[in-house]
Amino acid sequence: MGDGRYSAEHLAQLITTDHAYTTVRNNIMSVDTILIDEVSMLSLKTLETLETVCRKLRSSNLFFGGLQIILTGDFYQLPPVPNPEYGDHGQFCFLSDAFICIQHQLQLVEVLRQQDDALITCINELARGEYLSQGSCSLLAEVARSLKASGQLVLFARNFDAELFNADQLSQLPGKQTMYTATDTGNSQALKRRARVPKYVALKVGAPVVLTTNLSEQHFNGLLGTVSEITPDGPLVKFSFQIHQQAILIRPHLSSIFSPAHQKVIATRKQLPLLLAFAMTIHKCQGMTLSSVEVHCQHIIAAGQLGVAVGRVTSRAGL
Ligand SMILES: Nc1ncnc2c1ncn2[C@@H]1O[C@H](COP(=O)(O)OP(=O)(O)OP(=O)(O)O)[C@@H](O)[C@H]1O
């Protein structure tokens, strides 16, 4: 699907004819089922683009070309992020006819991440935007304190606050800092507004980081890791699932900014696909389970943000 820059028809044509899309084409033609998680953030436009692409490639009049579609998620979590530059207004996917064709529904009612009933009630009330019960108010007052242990992930509503916090924490980490400067081409204003990775990425050994792109099936956007070494070829990062495995070398990754008006790429950036992760935005952490988390409530504006943030933690001791 990429970043949503192409219309469904254009994408279907590219996938059919362009060698760069061979794997995508083979996948769509050979799989039986597509499973999409965190469906609350899936926009109507993205769902309909996927539906059209599958139907056209599989030359079928059935919804999704006859593929089985499984959507999982919680519509009380974060809504889709609008992308007006690419004509995506961030409407919920359940407003689409393509969603309505999905007829079987299962509701998962047992919470397994937390065992504490009062915490579960509090997360549900925050997620639904209801008035908080006395019990939830007391719980939130009780956890408004500094955590004894260090190393917790800090969550902010805005990128700006997360970036400020990350820079401050990096400066306090001992060791030599290495700065990676992006190689840019094209429209600098477009890069400033829309690039996913910054012009400068500063790292030190021991710094927590998060991947910002899918490098492989195992190394995906949102994966947390720690810088284990800085080599002349780039940083080595050990990811959280790799307890007994070697750290991997992260190399600069080319990303581009597309102009729908001009129907062409107007800028490129080659930069490490990494962000510091002492702190991150609540949008970035949806889906994670964390033992220890600090939530900053200022500037929360999107529906579901506070419920998602508080709902990441497994117990009130770590909140
Ligand atoms: N079958 C299970 N037995 C025990 N614990 C489980 C089980 N399934 C999930 N959990 C616990 O619940 C946590 C959350 O699971 P999971 O991430 O699959 O939930 P989710 O519904 O996708 O949550 P969210 O949408 O809020 O991210 C897991 O990290 C694990 O600790």
Side-chain angles (χ1 to χ4, degrees):
M1 297 293 294
D3 58 3
R5 62 181 60 177
Y6 299 121
S7 70
E9 288 69 23
H10 190 164
L11 197 55
Q13 195 199 349
L14 273 177
I15 296 172
T16 310
T17 56
D18 190 324
H19 285 311
Y21 290 85
T22 304
T23 310
V24 180
R25 182 166 61 244
N26 291 343
N27 284 345
I28 292 177
M29 298 310 289
S30 63
V31 298
D32 298 318
T33 304
I34 296 181
L35 197 153
I36 302 175
D37 195 17
E38 304 301 353
V39 70
S40 67
M41 294 188 81
L42 181 74
S43 70
L44 177 148
K45 179 174 184 276
T46 307
L47 183 73
E48 293 191 344
T49 303
L50 177 68
E51 195 280 319
T52 308
V53 166
C54 291
R55 194 158 30 81
K56 284 192 177 298
L57 258 83
R58 294 170 67 92
S59 308
S60 163
N61 289 329
L62 297 171
F63 272 118
F64 296 95
L67 284 174
Q68 182 183 34
I69 302 295
I70 302 175
L71 307 177
T72 61
D74 175 359
F75 285 110
Y76 280 117
Q77 294 192 354
L78 296 169
V81 177
N83 187 355
E85 308 261 9
Y86 293 161
D88 189 338
H89 305 293
Q91 292 162 285
F92 281 112
C93 65
F94 57 68
L95 297 171
S96 166
D97 287 345
F99 184 89
I100 293 162
C101 81
I102 299 166
Q103 288 162 354
H104 302 281
Q105 291 174 19
L106 289 173
Q107 194 178 3
L108 304 178
V109 292
E110 190 183 350
V111 175
L112 289 162
R113 184 178 281 130
Q114 298 91 10
Q115 263 85 54
D116 177 342
D117 287 340
L119 179 58
I120 293 170
T121 303
C122 177
I123 293 164
N124 283 337
E125 289 176 5
L126 290 173
R128 280 155 185 69
E130 293 165 354
Y131 282 106
L132 290 181
S133 60
Q134 190 54 49
S136 296
C137 289
S138 305
L139 187 149
L140 290 174
E142 180 196 315
V143 298
R145 45 123 179 67
S146 299
L147 289 170
K148 284 196 187 108
S150 60
Q152 65 274 15
L153 185 62
V154 181
L155 299 177
F156 290 96
R158 302 187 305 186
N159 269 318
F160 176 77
D161 299 304
E163 282 165 17
L164 221 56
F165 187 90
N166 278 328
D168 181 57
Q169 291 295 302
L170 189 74
S171 71
Q172 292 182 38
L173 195 69
K176 182 174 171 280
Q177 176 176 301
T178 303
M179 182 71 83
Y180 295 90
T181 305
T183 309
D184 292 346
T185 64
N187 186 322
S188 58
Q189 286 308 315
L191 282 167
K192 221 172 192 171
R193 276 188 294 116
R194 292 167 56 195
R196 281 199 194 166
V197 280
K199 175 95 180 156
Y200 303 101
V201 173
L203 296 177
K204 286 181 183 174
V205 171
V209 287
V210 59
L211 258 185
T212 59
T213 194
N214 297 326
L215 294 181
S216 67
E217 281 186 14
Q218 284 185 323
H219 300 100
F220 48 84
N221 186 5
L223 190 63
L224 288 170
T226 306
V227 177
S228 61
E229 196 181 333
I230 306 251
T231 74
D233 295 330
L236 294 179
V237 175
K238 191 149 194 174
F239 289 99
S240 29
F241 69 93
Q242 293 178 304
I243 298 165
H244 302 296
Q245 291 181 30
Q246 284 194 330
I248 68 160
L249 177 68
I250 304 294
R251 293 188 175 280
H253 181 83
L254 188 69
S255 57
S256 64
I257 309 281
F258 183 78
S259 163
H262 301 95
Q263 280 296 303
K264 64 173 188 181
V265 169
I266 52 169
T268 65
R269 169 161 290 170
K270 202 168 179 192
Q271 175 59 291
L272 295 177
L274 292 175
L275 288 176
L276 286 170
F278 296 100
M280 66 173 63
T281 62
I282 295 167
H283 275 78
K284 195 91 191 157
C285 79
Q286 174 156 307
M288 291 180 178
T289 297
L290 302 163
S291 56
S292 186
V293 64
E294 184 177 313
V295 180
H296 285 250
C297 303
Q298 295 95 333
H299 309 297
I300 280 183
I301 46 158
Q305 264 184 326
L306 198 50
V308 166
V310 175
R312 296 309 92 205
V313 79
T314 47
S315 75
R316 75 172 81 181
L319 177 61

